[in-house]
Amino acid sequence: MSHLDRRSFLKFLGTLSAYGVIPMSVSACEHKKWPGTENALGFKLNGIEPTDLDQVVLADGFHYDLLIRFNQEIKPNEFFGFNNDFLCFIPDEADTEQAILWVNHENVHTPFVSGRMRKTDPSKTEADLEMYHVGGSIIRLIKKDGKWTFRPGDPINRRLNAHTPIPFSGGTVISGSNIAVGTLANCAGGFTPWGTILTCEENYHDCFGERDPETGLVRSGLYRWEKVYSRPPEHYGWVVEVEPKSGKAQKHVRLGRFAHECATCTRLKDGRVVVYSGDDKDDQCLYKFISSEPDSLVEGTLYVADVDKGRWISLDIESNEKLRERFSDQLEIQINTRLAADLVGGSKLDRPEDIEIDPISGDVFVALTNNKPKKEYFGQILKISEKDGNYESLEFTAETFRTGGVESGFACPDNMAFDISGNLWFTSDMSGSSMHKEPYTKLKNNGLFVVPRFGERAGEVIQIASAPTDAEFTGPTFSSDYKTLFLSVQHPGEMSPDDLSSFTSHWPDGEGKPDPGIILITGPALEYLTHINLPEGE
Ligand code: FEO
Ligand code: CA
Ligand code: CA
Ligand code: CA
């Protein structure tokens, strides 16, 4: 991270000029004295130590405001969902004072949402309410006094949830219908070069269960919504593309069906696109999809990674005899992607989570969060370099970028984001039930971290924020000017007893029941880090 070759630097300048940023010289940036002591900037960029405070704790020079929280009315009779995760900031081309924010709602903690104890079956009223609060929200942002705020009642505001009918791409019929009812388990996502967002259905099996591909039997889901509604499990576990202005959506069959964490998209020179996606389950795989048409995800080929051999293996039925023997057609492979990936030798990874493309080097970063059965507790960030920097290539090299651990100061990397200066921001996800226990005790609450690209501390992992009790930060995303970082605060207080006799967290009010919500982080330290034309300070 401390050195940029000339080719990368020229690419970097191109990226920056696209944003209208004029960089200072790289050599000046690389050796820039870190604002760690008394300085003219008014803040010290030392990061924070792990803490167990039930608050959003921030490093010096950062501030936060609450943007929106669970169940807030977004328009008459429409409400903001639960456990917000992936966020996507969509600028308004004509008006820099307004924007749209897409928000994923990953799951529900039933005692907080419907009042249902988790081990009981839902009534129809309870299931309906829980199903309402997953999916996604589209909300209008406007700038007030220089800060982004949410505008209730705006016509753009809408919900998609587990009740919303969504067609399969290309008119595909799955389990008797070309329309699925609902999107759910929406974890991370991505966006396309043509302005749509991608929301990923991850732990869909929690909702209506999952069918065993060998026996055909359906195992019950965590929420047991199948007790109320009969829905084919095959209708979930897809990447869903949403047009943010209209809310129009489709489920993309060609990207495969598994516990999709994210869908990270990049465009080839001829307009076709490549989408990277991980299957967040112990010993599951990393995939890439290459579209066959420009600006469309409807047709194309899915590949699975063999990380040891550095190869992308096609899951096209015509390419492999093992696939032809096991599956009757391509659609059966798309529905049972895990099984197909295993047959062709996809590498079993430590739960691939978010994926981001480095804006300077073009490398593909993959968060591998942990693999507890294999005693891999801390995870790592993997760096993949496609051959000749070509995203269409079927060969790559892979190396560890950073390894989690008590010494590294972080565990279980999950969501990531690069800023305009090429700093890597990421969040940690130690689960609510494992935090404050060995081997995680010393790391205390989950956090937000940055790996600076420039300055004296380039390459170090610095903790910038700490989450409230039981919570994780998710969905980091920047405004177009990189002066605001939007961040989800997910599942505060999820370890509270189901009868709600007490709460382990009281965020954000400091008293009473906790709520998930979105914060926006601003401040001079954020601007210092995200802007390459650093202020003359130290
Ligand atoms: Fe929903 Fe893989 O985190
Ligand atoms: Ca995640
Ligand atoms: Ca991300
Ligand atoms: Ca996670």
Side-chain angles (χ1 to χ4, degrees):
M1 290 294 273
S2 60
H3 179 74
L4 290 173
D5 65 30
R6 183 168 167 74
R7 187 169 147 266
S8 301
F9 180 55
L10 290 175
K11 195 169 172 185
F12 180 37
L13 291 183
T15 309
L16 290 173
S17 64
Y19 287 88
V21 177
I22 302 162
M24 67 192 294
S25 85
V26 164
S27 58
C29 297
E30 281 190 342
H31 303 295
K32 187 117 184 138
K33 196 162 182 293
W34 197 255
T37 52
E38 290 306 316
N39 65 80
L41 298 172
F43 59 86
K44 298 171 202 163
L45 243 184
N46 288 333
I48 58 168
E49 292 299 315
T51 165
D52 53 14
L53 287 175
D54 179 32
Q55 293 169 16
V56 172
V57 179
L58 290 168
D60 196 23
F62 295 87
H63 312 291
Y64 88 90
D65 295 278
L66 182 66
L67 179 74
I68 190 168
R69 64 197 285 182
F70 168 57
N71 220 19
Q72 206 168 324
E73 197 168 54
I74 60 171
K75 66 189 334 176
N77 292 316
E78 287 281 31
F79 301 89
F80 191 69
F82 199 72
N83 268 353
N84 36 278
D85 196 307
F86 172 70
L87 306 173
C88 189
F89 179 91
I90 304 145
D92 189 314
E93 299 299 330
D95 184 352
T96 57
E97 300 290 295
Q98 64 173 19
I100 298 171
L101 193 70
W102 167 271
V103 183
N104 275 8
H105 298 292
E106 183 172 20
N107 48 36
V108 285
H109 182 66
T110 62
F112 287 172
V113 171
S114 63
R116 173 165 72 97
M117 307 282 266
R118 281 174 291 180
K119 288 188 177 153
T120 61
D121 287 347
S123 67
K124 182 172 181 301
T125 307
E126 287 165 338
D128 280 344
L129 188 59
E130 292 160 15
M131 288 163 61
Y132 178 84
H133 281 298
V134 297
S137 289
I138 297 169
I139 58 171
R140 169 67 76 198
L141 301 181
I142 53 163
K143 242 185 191 170
K144 262 191 200 156
D145 303 325
K147 261 194 183 158
W148 288 107
T149 60
F150 151 63
R151 183 159 67 192
D154 191 281
I156 209 91
N157 296 350
R158 77 168 70 229
R159 288 294 320 280
L160 281 79
N161 56 40
H163 300 290
T164 311
I166 301 176
F168 291 109
S169 56
T172 310
V173 174
I174 295 176
S175 300
S177 178
N178 59 4
I179 294 176
V181 180
T183 184
L184 41 79
N186 309 70
C187 184
F191 55 91
T192 65
W194 53 92
T196 55
I197 71 97
L198 303 173
T199 175
C200 293
E201 298 179 339
E202 191 198 38
N203 292 320
Y204 61 90
H205 56 274
D206 285 344
C207 301
F208 294 104
E210 174 65 314
R211 197 183 313 276
D212 185 309
E214 304 300 342
T215 64
L217 296 173
V218 175
R219 261 175 291 120
S220 190
L222 178 70
Y223 303 134
R224 281 163 283 190
W225 293 341
E226 74 276 1
K227 305 268 182 196
V228 176
Y229 291 102
S230 172
R231 301 266 168 85
E234 296 80 8
H235 282 192
Y236 312 99
W238 303 101
V239 174
V240 185
E241 181 179 9
V242 184
E243 203 288 301
K245 285 192 178 139
S246 65
K248 198 173 163 221
Q250 57 178 321
K251 296 199 177 196
H252 280 294
V253 177
R254 290 299 241 165
L255 275 73
R257 175 174 172 268
F258 47 87
H260 280 281
E261 170 76 22
C262 71
T264 304
C265 196
T266 186
R267 195 187 228 148
L268 298 170
K269 281 200 183 87
D270 61 7
R272 290 176 303 126
V273 287
V274 174
V275 184
Y276 294 91
S277 190
D279 184 357
D280 181 6
K281 188 173 192 290
D282 292 330
D283 295 325
Q284 288 303 332
C285 300
L286 174 69
Y287 298 85
K288 88 168 172 185
F289 166 83
I290 305 178
S291 78
S292 50
E293 300 291 333
D295 292 353
S296 170
L297 303 175
V298 176
E299 292 298 338
T301 305
L302 189 64
Y303 299 84
V304 64
D306 178 335
V307 174
D308 298 324
K309 293 190 181 135
R311 286 190 337 206
W312 292 104
I313 308 168
S314 173
L315 293 176
D316 190 313
I317 195 161
E318 297 305 329
S319 71
N320 192 305
E321 199 171 326
K322 283 185 191 159
L323 295 178
R324 282 196 297 277
E325 277 170 15
R326 174 63 183 78
F327 299 103
S328 56
D329 59 21
Q330 189 63 41
L331 180 58
E332 202 183 345
I333 292 177
Q334 302 306 125
I335 292 170
N336 299 287
T337 307
R338 268 183 195 163
L339 206 56
D342 188 46
L343 271 179
V344 301
S347 294
K348 298 177 193 306
L349 301 175
D350 297 340
R351 294 184 51 202
E353 296 248 28
D354 202 8
I355 300 169
E356 288 294 332
I357 297 176
D358 182 338
I360 297 179
S361 69
D363 290 329
V364 181
F365 284 61
V366 184
L368 301 177
T369 195
N370 62 61
N371 193 337
K372 289 177 183 169
K374 287 190 168 163
K375 302 205 182 325
E376 295 289 347
Y377 294 108
F378 294 99
Q380 61 158 300
I381 298 173
L382 186 74
K383 185 172 87 173
I384 286 185
S385 308
E386 297 278 23
K387 191 176 180 191
D388 301 325
N390 175 9
Y391 296 107
E392 211 182 345
S393 173
L394 298 184
E395 292 176 50
F396 63 89
T397 55
E399 63 180 276
T400 297
F401 172 69
R402 290 289 178 279
T403 309
V406 174
E407 290 300 307
S408 329
F410 75 93
C412 312
D414 191 336
N415 294 136
M416 301 185 288
F418 279 99
D419 66 28
I420 187 67
S421 291
N423 302 305
L424 175 64
W425 299 74
F426 70 92
T427 61
S428 62
D429 177 17
M430 296 171 282
S431 70
S433 58
S434 54
M435 258 185 285
H436 306 287
K437 294 180 188 148
E438 288 305 320
Y440 302 115
T441 315
K442 286 192 177 143
L443 297 171
K444 300 192 174 172
N445 289 6
N446 280 313
L448 168 73
F449 303 81
V450 66
V451 183
R453 194 101 186 194
F454 299 104
E456 280 180 327
R457 297 186 67 180
E460 288 185 35
V461 176
I462 300 174
Q463 185 167 356
I464 296 298
S466 176
T469 306
D470 304 341
E472 66 173 305
F473 290 129
T474 52
T477 193
F478 291 95
S479 58
S480 308
D481 62 5
Y482 289 83
K483 292 181 178 176
T484 302
L485 173 60
F486 295 86
L487 193 61
S488 282
V489 178
Q490 206 195 61
H491 56 74
E494 69 170 355
M495 301 306 287
S496 303
D498 277 13
D499 64 6
L500 308 186
S501 54
S502 62
F503 299 105
T504 54
S505 170
H506 301 286
W507 193 85
D509 295 329
E511 58 181 9
K513 180 174 152 290
D515 275 339
I518 299 173
I519 57 172
L520 42 95
I521 295 178
T522 54
L526 184 78
E527 290 187 30
Y528 177 90
L529 270 169
T530 57
H531 287 71
I532 185 65
N533 47 345
L534 306 175
E536 292 303 321
E538 289 267 40

